[in-house]
Amino acid sequence: MEGENESGDNWTGGDSEDIGDVNPLPGVCVVTHPLSPAGENATRTLLNVLAAITTVSLVTADLPENSSIWDDHLVFEVSEHGAGQSNILIAAYRFLRNQLRMAARIRERDEEIVLFFGATSYLLPVLFAKAIGKTIVVEPRGDVPLTLRLNWEQRMPAQLARVLAGLVRALEEVCYRAADAIVTYTPSMASELGLTRFDGKLYPNGARYVDTDAFDVRVPFESRGEVVGFVGRLDEEKNVRSLLAAAQNLPESTNFRFIGDGPLFEELETTATTDRVSFAGWVDHNEVSAELNEMRLLILPSDPTEGLPTTILESLACGTPVYATPVSGVPDVVREGETGFLMNDPSPEGIAADVATILDRDDLIEVSRQGRAEVVRDYDFEAATHRYRDIFADLA
């Protein structure tokens, strides 16, 4: 495996040139920011969908060496270093440098469409691609400025963090205006991000897809123990401190399981005061289905930073109802009393009270079934390919 690093120009990955011979849809070059594990998974699923309908390549930075994306798709890595968590000046330099290298790669590609996936503030390659006649699609994965502000506030004065996040939001605004199309996962996500004003070029039903074979009901819901849990990155934007406080006040018959790693892992593990709360740490993605199949409820008290967490779809596919904050695209999937439950009071006391009430419901088996049915109907691979085929056919 090779990728363009600080001095190299090599690429590798799968190629699907034969698709273009029989499919009139324009080819797509996907551009992403440096990928975290969650971002890598979301990018993989998008690339798989696009590769089923047209030719596709990826321009990115800091792609993990063991990522299957290298083997499955045509990849151009512009750097082995992302902006990272380093000094703000170094991060700004890397941010600018990566954009320039991405623009150079875009110039070499012959795909007609350039899709900026999550890279919603990458102004230089957006404007460059626009200038050379590419069709620009911007697809946010969530609220990037808010995510950055929450992280920056842990490392610098809050006022400076807000100013820097405001600059990122200004870059996003220009990118959205320059784009030929904006794709969001769901209509609620478009509304929360303030993108409904771009009605003429907004496609609010891009959604996601989940592998409904890998994520399936393996343990019948009625056979599961009194286990609830969280799956995701343990950081500020997930409100996991409040979740831990709530978990420690659940009925003694209920066990809580944190699945995932992150900067708050050690703090949470150290401050837990009951053995009814356990920490699995990071688990491989192919093991997440087994974890979800042990739960009667998945809890996600996130801030409005994500568009539509893949974990929600995976949980529903496993027949595990979801209790989550009604942010971004979540209410379009988690419908109160049908496929899950919406969290209106994210305080520890509110979460603990709601969980106890939910687990005591006599219709949870039906909620489990309806969640699985919704994902199979609207969020499987075939449904996702139809959505993107329609979007690109409209842009062709």
Side-chain angles (χ1 to χ4, degrees):
M1 179 194 70
E2 297 177 295
E4 183 186 351
N5 53 33
E6 295 296 332
S7 60
D9 294 307
N10 298 314
W11 60 264
T12 187
D15 200 346
S16 53
E17 296 294 337
D18 57 312
I19 297 177
D21 296 335
V22 297
N23 196 315
L25 291 176
V28 181
C29 175
V30 176
V31 179
T32 74
H33 49 56
L35 297 175
S36 65
E40 178 195 350
N41 184 47
T43 300
R44 181 188 300 107
T45 59
L46 175 65
L47 292 171
N48 290 343
V49 168
L50 299 183
I53 59 177
T54 189
T55 57
V56 61
S57 64
L58 174 67
V59 175
T60 189
D62 201 22
L63 183 64
E65 292 184 359
N66 62 349
S67 173
S68 64
I69 294 176
W70 287 106
D71 300 318
D72 298 337
H73 302 286
L74 185 61
V75 178
F76 299 92
E77 185 179 62
V78 299
S79 174
E80 293 179 349
H81 300 282
Q85 302 295 320
S86 55
N87 175 281
I88 191 67
L89 293 178
I90 296 175
Y93 164 72
R94 288 178 175 174
F95 179 61
L96 177 62
R97 180 199 60 193
N98 287 346
Q99 288 187 72
L100 292 172
R101 291 182 171 183
M102 286 172 174
R105 278 303 189 187
I106 290 170
R107 178 177 56 82
E108 299 170 356
R109 301 304 303 150
D110 58 5
E111 293 92 353
E112 298 175 33
I113 293 176
V114 181
L115 192 161
F116 289 85
F117 184 54
T120 50
S121 60
Y122 278 46
L123 181 60
L124 293 180
V126 166
L127 294 183
F128 177 79
K130 184 82 171 178
I132 63 175
K134 304 287 188 180
T135 298
I136 306 302
V137 178
V138 176
E139 181 168 348
R141 293 183 50 231
D143 191 331
V144 172
L146 177 58
T147 302
L148 292 173
R149 179 174 68 78
L150 292 173
N151 288 326
W152 284 336
E153 284 178 348
Q154 308 306 308
R155 300 186 289 124
M156 64 181 69
Q159 186 59 39
L160 177 57
R162 292 190 190 99
V163 170
L164 292 174
L167 293 174
V168 174
R169 196 170 294 282
L171 292 175
E172 274 195 337
E173 175 67 17
V174 179
C175 290
Y176 285 134
R177 290 184 178 277
D180 298 291
I182 300 170
V183 178
T184 60
Y185 297 147
T186 75
S188 291
M189 178 183 178
S191 178
E192 178 141 328
L193 292 178
L195 299 175
T196 53
R197 59 200 165 96
F198 295 111
D199 183 61
K201 59 182 180 181
L202 177 64
Y203 296 85
N205 291 294
R208 307 289 291 274
Y209 98 85
V210 61
D211 186 338
T212 52
D213 292 325
F215 289 86
D216 195 0
V217 180
R218 302 174 185 175
V219 179
F221 189 80
E222 57 271 25
S223 300
R224 302 180 188 183
E226 199 84 343
V227 178
V228 298
F230 167 90
V231 177
R233 183 171 168 78
L234 302 178
D235 60 18
E236 295 292 338
E237 65 194 73
K238 307 294 187 179
N239 284 328
V240 287
R241 290 192 182 96
S242 291
L243 187 53
L244 174 60
Q248 297 183 143
N249 287 288
L250 292 175
E252 290 189 3
S253 60
T254 303
N255 293 311
F256 194 100
R257 189 160 170 80
F258 282 95
I259 311 297
D261 202 350
L264 297 183
F265 180 89
E266 290 186 8
E267 174 187 329
L268 296 175
E269 190 176 39
T270 300
T271 55
T273 59
T274 171
D275 58 9
R276 291 184 291 105
V277 177
S278 61
F279 296 85
W282 183 88
V283 301
D284 192 80
H285 187 247
N286 60 20
E287 299 173 4
V288 172
S289 178
E291 295 285 354
L292 291 169
N293 267 270
E294 295 296 323
M295 298 180 188
R296 294 180 67 83
L297 187 69
L298 176 76
I299 307 176
L300 295 176
S302 303
D303 284 323
T305 56
E306 297 180 277
L308 176 60
T310 305
T311 304
I312 287 181
L313 298 179
E314 293 173 344
S315 182
L316 296 180
C318 293
T320 305
V322 175
Y323 171 52
T325 42
V327 296
S328 204
V330 172
D332 290 319
V333 178
V334 180
R335 294 190 299 280
E336 182 67 32
E338 296 181 24
T339 60
F341 308 92
L342 297 175
M343 183 185 301
N344 296 311
D345 180 3
S347 68
E349 299 77 16
I351 294 173
D354 280 353
V355 170
T357 299
I358 291 168
L359 293 178
D360 198 42
R361 292 174 65 113
D362 58 10
D363 64 344
L364 271 184
I365 292 178
E366 182 58 26
V367 175
S368 167
R369 291 171 179 164
Q370 290 178 159
R372 167 70 184 177
E374 178 183 39
V375 170
V376 171
R377 182 184 65 247
D378 296 333
Y379 298 100
D380 70 355
F381 187 81
E382 183 177 358
T385 56
H386 280 305
R387 282 191 294 268
Y388 279 95
R389 186 186 298 276
D390 289 344
I391 292 171
F392 294 141
D394 197 37
L395 293 175

